[in-house]
Amino acid sequence: MGFKKLGLVSATCLLAITAVVGCSSANKESSGTTAPSAQVQDANGSEVVDIEVWGTNIGYKPITKGSKLYELYKEKLGVGVIHPYVEWNGGTNYLNQLNLKIAAGEIPDLFLPKEGIENSLAKNGAIADLTELLPKYAPNLWNAIPKDIWDIVKANDPTGQGKIFYIPGVVDYGRYAGMIRKDWLDKLGLQMPKTQDEYVKVLEAFRDKDPNGNGQKDELPTGGRQEARWMDHLFAMYGVAMFEGYPQWDLYDGKLTYAAVTPNMKSALEFAAKLYKDGLIDKESLLNDKAKWDGKVNDGRAGNFFHWAETSYLYMENTFKNTGVKPDFAVLPVPEVPGYKGFYTWKRFLEPQWVVKNTKDQKKLMATLKLLNNMYDKKTWNSLFLGVEGMHYTMKDGKAVKLPDDKSTQENLILDPYSKLSTLDFMTELNKSTASNDRMWAVDQTNRNMQEAQKYAKTIAGDGMPASVYDGFPDINNRTLFIEYATKIILGQFPISKFDEFVEKWNKTGGEEVTKRSREWYAKVKK
């Protein structure tokens, strides 16, 4: 197994190409060679401009011109949305394809940037300066995001001019938690574990006592995915700031420090290695992609996993569909470990959610801003959440209710401002008000989980830090060295003593400089 991010095209190389492509694209536009905007007429006879939107798609159908979701967006938002299918796979394949798209001079009109790509694009003039555009043309969006969040965006401007080049997300509650099969605990006569020792005993029971009742020893007590991702619950108990498997920056001994190089991380990796050795972690965890790990959860084999509390209903319903058993996925309290203060990482400031192509085509630019303005009008959120009648929801007794998740028939609901600018009350009410009676068992559990997760959520000091602190050090940004050492330690290929070697190498290959920049940023935003 290679320990580099699988299939990841070198962002450095492709972004270098971008600088050239960006200039040539701008020259083409200024010389009048830009292709005309795609356009149709809406019901009022007004021109509707199509724009291309790229973002997260975990297997749903694309949005094509004239498709049902295209027509819904055109009706509700006044803009045509074309959303081609780009495989997500944890963001790795998406970034590959996005880099290739950019290198070809075909930047989408509106897209989700990844891995700090927005910094190079801003410097190259490939994405729009939104500082003056948003207040004027997208006031709903501008006013929806708090001033202190916009101030962080300005402080993060890679050009150093205090401008806005991306739209952040804001989440006013902790979204993440370990999920555990409470119905398995009940079946085995076990209490919810509160300490690490109790947690290990639960995993051993999941491994040995056939809680799924199929007579086979196929249970996976816990696990995760490639690059030691989506197993944050194993690190959380040691106070490691981790976000979907990405080590974060937080205060350790009073100083802003990268969690990956702390003694906390060393202890967490030692614990994970022991679990792996004892058969308490899925042996394929460091090979699983999203589809493979989700499949194991949905097949009723995983006793404990890490994810968004608010999407736990998807796993419940899929497990019921696949096994005939209605599972109870409950929040795992962060197990107590002597000497550590554990937590699930809460990032209030979400990383860049949208950037806008810098284009001379004013119709495209105005259509993109119109889309953003209408999308962030809360009056549209219920419609955007529900989607297309007959595809995403149905009417029962005069009430709109969401249909079960079906990637084979449902187009991707790419425009989801309710998840990018979200409050706990809004999301729990939205879940409940759009669920049919036969789905309420899963929705009620999900809302319970969302509330419960708040007990263990903690914001971190590095919330909102720009990816520009990694400029010149792409391997640190990509976690290349961390992935190699963490993976080998967990698999037992390296002894835990090798962790000190990792820290030394990390510091020598740019970590010291990145730490210096990070602490300077922290001092600036905390003034």
Side-chain angles (χ1 to χ4, degrees):
M1 171 180 174
F3 298 104
K4 293 182 179 179
K5 185 166 270 193
L6 298 178
L8 178 61
V9 178
S10 168
T12 305
C13 295
L14 283 172
L15 289 176
I17 296 171
T18 302
V20 177
V21 173
C23 293
S24 73
S25 296
N27 290 337
K28 284 180 184 178
E29 290 177 334
S30 61
S31 65
T33 59
T34 304
S37 301
Q39 55 188 269
V40 295
Q41 305 293 313
D42 65 13
N44 299 319
S46 301
E47 179 182 340
V48 174
V49 178
D50 288 347
I51 65 170
E52 186 172 343
V53 179
W54 279 40
T56 306
N57 188 338
I58 56 173
Y60 298 94
K61 296 177 67 176
I63 305 171
T64 56
K65 191 175 181 67
S67 70
K68 291 181 178 179
L69 190 51
Y70 171 94
E71 293 296 333
L72 176 74
Y73 285 157
K74 183 179 74 170
E75 174 192 350
K76 300 295 181 182
L77 305 174
V79 178
V81 172
I82 305 297
H83 168 58
Y85 178 72
V86 180
E87 185 182 17
W88 182 249
N89 193 24
T92 301
N93 289 11
Y94 172 85
L95 183 59
N96 287 346
Q97 295 304 310
L98 180 61
N99 273 319
L100 292 172
K101 184 86 169 173
I102 292 167
E106 301 171 350
I107 302 178
D109 300 296
L110 180 70
F111 63 95
L112 166 71
K114 290 288 290 180
E115 303 288 350
I117 194 174
E118 69 279 358
N119 293 318
S120 294
L121 295 177
K123 290 177 181 177
N124 296 334
I127 56 177
D129 173 4
L130 302 172
T131 317
E132 303 298 331
L133 293 174
L134 292 180
K136 186 173 182 180
Y137 297 107
N140 288 327
L141 167 57
W142 178 255
N143 294 324
I145 294 177
K147 181 181 181 299
D148 65 310
I149 299 295
W150 284 127
D151 287 344
I152 293 176
V153 176
K154 291 176 181 179
N156 292 353
D157 174 11
T159 71
Q161 301 176 75
K163 293 185 176 181
I164 294 171
F165 284 99
Y166 65 80
I167 297 156
V170 186
V171 177
D172 279 333
Y173 59 95
R175 271 186 166 158
Y176 293 81
M179 297 283 117
I180 191 165
R181 286 290 296 266
K182 186 176 181 300
D183 54 319
W184 284 12
L185 293 176
D186 294 342
K187 182 176 180 179
L188 299 177
L190 298 170
Q191 297 297 312
M192 183 70 75
K194 294 182 179 179
T195 67
Q196 185 183 72
D197 288 344
E198 291 173 353
Y199 174 66
V200 171
K201 285 184 172 63
V202 162
L203 296 185
E204 289 171 346
F206 284 177
R207 179 193 62 193
D208 300 332
K209 296 186 177 180
D210 192 28
N212 68 10
N214 66 357
Q216 302 176 39
K217 197 170 182 178
D218 61 348
E219 287 84 356
L220 306 170
T222 192
R225 284 158 48 181
Q226 297 160 326
E227 302 176 352
R229 291 194 62 199
W230 295 96
M231 52 177 72
D232 300 23
H233 56 298
L234 302 181
F235 299 88
M237 63 185 80
Y238 287 94
V240 174
M242 188 80 92
F243 193 78
E244 298 181 2
Y246 291 82
Q248 301 296 304
W249 294 78
D250 201 10
L251 296 179
Y252 294 91
D253 293 329
K255 294 181 179 180
L256 192 71
T257 304
Y258 189 49
V261 297
T262 61
N264 306 57
M265 178 63 82
K266 184 177 183 179
S267 297
L269 288 173
E270 186 175 23
F271 175 62
K274 186 176 188 312
L275 292 182
Y276 184 87
K277 181 181 178 182
D278 293 343
L280 300 177
I281 292 180
D282 174 20
K283 290 294 187 182
E284 295 181 324
S285 285
L286 299 172
L287 299 173
N288 289 331
D289 59 13
K290 175 177 173 54
K292 193 169 185 179
W293 179 232
D294 280 359
K296 292 175 180 180
V297 176
N298 292 335
D299 283 344
R301 297 173 59 201
N304 174 219
F305 72 109
F306 183 83
H307 218 276
W308 289 28
E310 66 195 65
T311 60
S312 51
Y313 68 89
L314 294 175
Y315 293 96
M316 296 173 200
E317 291 178 333
N318 285 328
T319 300
F320 178 46
K321 178 181 177 182
N322 292 334
T323 69
V325 174
K326 286 185 176 180
D328 185 351
F329 283 114
V331 167
L332 171 70
V334 178
E336 297 170 4
V337 182
Y340 297 91
K341 188 170 179 59
F343 61 90
Y344 292 129
T345 297
W346 167 16
K347 293 179 75 171
R348 179 170 173 258
F349 182 105
L350 290 184
E351 295 170 346
Q353 302 296 301
W354 298 113
V355 291
V356 175
K357 177 182 179 181
N358 188 16
T359 176
K360 301 294 184 182
D361 186 334
Q362 288 300 296
K363 287 184 178 179
K364 286 272 193 180
L365 179 59
M366 288 299 106
T368 304
L369 292 167
K370 178 180 181 179
L371 179 74
L372 289 170
N373 187 56
N374 292 340
M375 177 170 43
Y376 281 83
D377 180 348
K378 288 190 177 181
K379 294 175 184 175
T380 68
W381 285 13
N382 198 59
S383 295
L384 297 179
F385 177 78
L386 286 171
V388 176
E389 184 176 0
M391 178 186 289
H392 302 103
Y393 78 96
T394 189
M395 297 300 297
K396 287 187 179 180
D397 300 322
K399 175 185 175 183
V401 296
K402 291 285 279 186
L403 289 168
D405 188 51
D406 187 349
K407 293 173 182 174
S408 68
T409 62
Q410 292 170 347
E411 295 176 37
N412 191 39
L413 292 168
I414 184 66
L415 305 181
D416 56 348
Y418 44 82
S419 69
K420 294 177 171 62
L421 189 65
S422 198
T423 65
L424 183 61
D425 288 345
F426 179 84
M427 288 307 299
T428 53
E429 178 55 34
L430 196 60
N431 284 341
K432 199 162 188 176
S433 66
T434 57
S436 59
N437 289 334
D438 60 335
R439 296 184 62 231
M440 198 61 74
W441 68 275
V443 169
D444 283 344
Q445 287 186 38
T446 297
N447 284 351
R448 174 203 66 194
N449 292 345
M450 292 170 69
Q451 297 286 349
E452 185 72 10
Q454 305 320 303
K455 296 178 182 178
Y456 314 104
K458 184 187 87 107
T459 55
I460 55 174
D463 193 15
M465 180 183 293
S468 58
V469 300
Y470 300 107
D471 285 355
F473 305 103
D475 282 349
I476 290 183
N477 188 26
N478 294 335
R479 316 174 337 280
T480 305
L481 200 63
F482 170 74
I483 292 168
E484 177 183 356
Y485 275 80
T487 300
K488 288 182 175 179
I489 288 171
I490 292 171
L491 294 177
Q493 296 171 1
F494 275 174
I496 191 61
S497 58
K498 278 277 195 177
F499 181 83
D500 300 329
E501 177 182 283
F502 154 67
V503 174
E504 184 179 355
K505 281 186 179 180
W506 185 86
N507 279 309
K508 286 182 177 178
T509 56
E512 287 182 354
E513 175 61 25
V514 172
T515 298
K516 177 175 173 288
R517 294 175 186 175
S518 300
R519 290 175 178 172
E520 288 173 349
W521 169 85
Y522 185 67
K524 181 170 63 173
V525 298
K526 292 302 173 184
K527 281 183 179 178

